[in-house]
Amino acid sequence: MIQLEDIKGRYKRDKALNANYPIRVLIIKEATGLLCMNSGDYVLCPGRVFFIPEEGIIRLEGELTSAYWLSFSTLLYSEFLLQHRDSQSRNLFMTLSFKDLNDSQAQKAYSLLEQLKREILADRDVSYLAQYLSLLLGFSAVLNAELMDLSIDELQQVLRFRAILEQYFKTERNTEFYASGMGMSSRKLNTFLKKAFTKNLPELLFARLIREAEELLIHTDYSISMIAEILGFEQTNSFVSNFKRSKGISVLEFRRLN
């Protein structure tokens, strides 16, 4: 489902760069030359991150001293799309695009990639890798402005929080529970979440519950009361009213439209 490898050496454009999975990212650490596609040639330079569409054939011409070649499945990519619903994020891989990271940002991206390699080797579960990939893409595409000023340790804490939230959001609403999982006091956790997500824990929990409700309403035929129960609402009416407050339409109307 995901492959991350270091690539280096001299490349000629008469040979395509292969990938095991359809969605691909090339991160340049040190290189000179060109990335060549039917749409044109693009300069390879340090800190440049290329987001490559599925149908594009990639050829390189030049000398790569150090670069990362990342490919992954649409299943892993789906988590990123669920977390990033703006048009810029949805179109990230529609055509070839790239971002140039400054030195500080690039060093953080390289550190995240090295950690991702270790997670892949450790055979981490799919949900964790999907969270990690979503964080990496959001950061390297500069889609989450609040992440750019975080240290690498804070970015790892973001990932840890996302993993805990993903596992327990249906059953745990208590701030102390998440604070304990993060090794923080409740006050420190909410301060950190405000910095990393511009939201506090209740807001993040509510957003995640609504996102899950949308998925269940669209992709299952579960009754409204069953969905409310799955999401940990004690009363169906509470789920219905909270959903309407968030989306501006009723649960039934949302299901009908989707």
Side-chain angles (χ1 to χ4, degrees), residues 107-171:
Q107 291 303 319
K108 293 174 188 176
Y110 305 149
S111 294
L112 288 172
L113 286 159
E114 290 295 330
Q115 181 61 35
L116 178 56
K117 279 198 293 187
R118 292 190 285 270
E119 303 292 359
I120 294 170
L121 287 172
D123 199 25
R124 294 296 295 265
D125 64 74
V126 171
S127 62
Y128 182 87
L129 290 175
Q131 289 293 328
Y132 204 113
L133 186 62
S134 180
L135 172 67
L136 176 64
L137 291 177
F139 180 85
S140 57
V142 198
L143 294 169
N144 299 102
E146 64 274 8
L147 297 180
M148 306 313 293
D149 293 329
L150 300 183
S151 68
I152 190 63
D153 287 342
E154 288 173 326
L155 289 169
Q156 294 291 352
Q157 290 283 59
V158 166
L159 180 64
R160 179 175 176 80
F161 172 76
R162 283 184 175 178
I164 296 172
L165 181 68
E166 196 63 22
Q167 185 174 358
Y168 294 106
F169 74 93
K170 295 176 186 176
T171 57

Side-chain angles (χ1 to χ4, degrees), residues 30-87:
E30 187 176 350
T32 57
L34 300 170
L35 182 152
C36 311
M37 291 187 67
N38 291 338
S39 59
D41 296 344
Y42 304 84
V43 175
L44 304 175
C45 56
R48 179 162 287 182
V49 183
F50 292 95
F51 304 94
I52 303 164
E54 293 184 42
E55 68 277 5
I57 298 175
I58 300 302
R59 305 177 191 274
L60 300 176
E61 183 171 70
E63 184 77 28
L64 277 73
T65 304
S66 179
Y68 298 92
W69 182 229
L70 171 65
S71 66
F72 47 92
S73 67
T74 53
L75 177 63
L76 289 178
Y77 184 47
S78 62
E79 179 62 28
F80 170 78
L81 292 176
L82 287 172
Q83 291 188 18
H84 301 79
R85 299 194 174 191
D86 58 285
S87 59

